[in-house]
Amino acid sequence: TGIRNAAPQLKVLHMDNANPVTLATFPEESRRIAKTIIKYHTSGDVAALGMESADPEVIRANNLKATPDEVFEAIKLLNEEGAARGKNGLPELLPGINFEHGLKGETERTFRLNFEFMKKVLDSELLVRRVNIRQVMTFAGTPMYGHEGLAAKHKNLFLRYKEKMRDEIDLPMLRRLAPVGSVLRDVRAEMYDKITYGRQLATYPLLVGVHAKLELNRFYDIMVTGHGRRSITGIPVPVDINRSGLRMIEQIPGVGKKQAGKIIMGRPYKDREDVVK
């Protein structure tokens, strides 16, 4: 309320990290906090959970705090309270997951356990807004100093695992998060390079690609037409059916290239009923 009173016209109000152990240990209190955040924030918010590893050996060796079961309960709680779609077209408040590789105790099994954890989340029909996969950097005076060889040792394994996570977790998760036909509000067009790229203003914005040259530094409502691993393609809506090019019209869900050609041949249209006819 203090933030809202000080800045009543605030366009974006998002949080950053959340402690998964706190959510799992104090679920009722955490639910009340989540409800309060959702009441005052703006939608598309992400509570980043520092899981780091799903491998019990890595957790023990590095004195990590969160167990896989606790992180799963935190993900479940945030979905129950925050998965409803908000004004900007994305769910109100979802978890993000941070994995760290190259930690003490890491083996090939670590990569398998991390992937299996995210597969469990996906198969449970829970949403995660994004998965960050990082490699540790070591500094003198820290407990990791002198153990930096694991990151190099597992480099090829890490790269294969990251590709697998992007293909088999991120992509289906994104299709569920922003299905074809859904509309993302207030996407700011940022740059053009054969495709116009834009994002909503957010702590973890979703990259949007539009196969058209849009005026930059303007905000558009974008209908989702396709998905990449960590980005979506879309078209600005409403579509001007009498002026838009073939490429734009054929991307309208359910239209396609052949039908788009017929639509263009029938122009101009005077109203919606004329288009349907």
Side-chain angles (χ1 to χ4, degrees):
T1 53
I3 294 171
R4 283 301 186 182
N5 289 337
Q9 302 304 315
L10 196 63
K11 298 293 185 184
V12 179
L13 179 56
H14 285 175
M15 62 175 292
D16 189 9
N17 290 46
N19 188 335
V21 178
T22 302
L23 273 75
T25 307
F26 304 102
E28 294 312 311
E29 295 88 340
S30 296
R31 287 182 191 279
R32 291 200 296 271
I33 292 169
K35 290 178 191 294
T36 301
I37 291 169
I38 291 167
K39 181 178 179 181
Y40 292 105
H41 78 162
T42 53
S43 53
D45 206 352
V46 180
L49 306 178
M51 182 178 190
E52 319 310 350
S53 181
D55 186 341
E57 295 302 320
V58 175
I59 293 170
R60 279 193 290 272
N62 296 274
N63 196 30
L64 303 179
K65 305 304 180 186
T67 68
D69 288 344
E70 288 171 327
V71 177
F72 187 84
E73 287 304 310
I75 292 171
K76 187 177 175 183
L77 186 152
L78 289 169
N79 269 260
E80 289 168 354
E81 299 301 331
R85 212 160 287 276
K87 290 181 180 179
N88 76 344
L90 289 175
E92 287 284 358
L93 173 65
L94 289 179
I97 296 292
N98 297 333
F99 285 115
E100 191 80 44
H101 285 277
L103 294 171
K104 289 182 288 184
E106 179 177 280
T107 62
E108 291 188 20
R109 179 171 176 262
T110 307
F111 295 89
R112 177 172 58 81
L113 291 174
N114 286 355
F115 178 83
E116 287 176 354
F117 177 84
M118 289 310 306
K119 189 69 167 59
K120 176 184 175 182
V121 172
L122 184 69
D123 291 345
S124 299
E125 299 189 353
L126 297 171
L127 290 171
V128 168
R129 172 60 187 81
R130 58 108 186 105
V131 181
N132 278 350
I133 302 172
R134 301 159 169 159
Q135 283 188 303
V136 71
M137 293 179 66
T138 61
F139 297 91
T142 66
M144 270 300 300
Y145 193 65
H147 297 274
E148 56 271 17
L150 279 174
K153 177 183 177 182
H154 293 150
K155 182 179 179 180
N156 291 333
L157 178 60
F158 174 82
L159 293 174
R160 292 196 303 271
Y161 150 86
K162 193 172 182 178
E163 292 290 302
K164 184 178 175 69
M165 192 78 85
R166 297 299 179 230
D167 286 337
E168 299 182 30
I169 302 297
D170 283 352
L171 183 55
M173 187 72 75
L174 188 54
R175 286 172 175 156
R176 189 182 297 168
L177 178 80
V180 168
S182 60
V183 176
L184 303 185
R185 306 289 178 187
D186 296 325
V187 175
R188 178 176 175 267
E190 295 183 351
M191 65 170 289
Y192 176 74
D193 182 11
K194 298 181 181 178
I195 297 172
T196 300
Y197 295 98
R199 296 178 295 180
Q200 295 172 313
L201 299 181
T203 47
Y204 292 100
L206 184 61
L207 183 64
V208 177
V210 178
H211 290 276
K213 189 172 184 178
L214 303 182
E215 183 181 340
L216 302 184
N217 298 314
R218 277 191 55 192
F219 289 87
Y220 299 86
D221 292 343
I222 302 293
M223 177 188 287
V224 179
T225 59
H227 302 84
R229 289 161 151 185
R230 307 192 85 188
S231 63
I232 64 113
T233 54
I235 55 174
V237 290
V239 175
D240 186 337
I241 206 73
N242 285 323
R243 295 186 179 184
S244 296
L246 177 68
R247 185 72 187 272
M248 184 76 71
I249 293 175
E250 72 183 26
Q251 290 181 79
I252 298 172
V255 174
K257 199 165 189 175
K258 185 177 180 181
Q259 187 70 18
K262 291 182 179 180
I263 289 171
I264 288 178
M265 291 294 290
R267 296 196 301 202
Y269 303 96
K270 61 180 182 290
D271 52 31
R272 182 179 182 277
E273 286 68 30
D274 197 17
V275 176
V276 173
K277 183 180 177 182

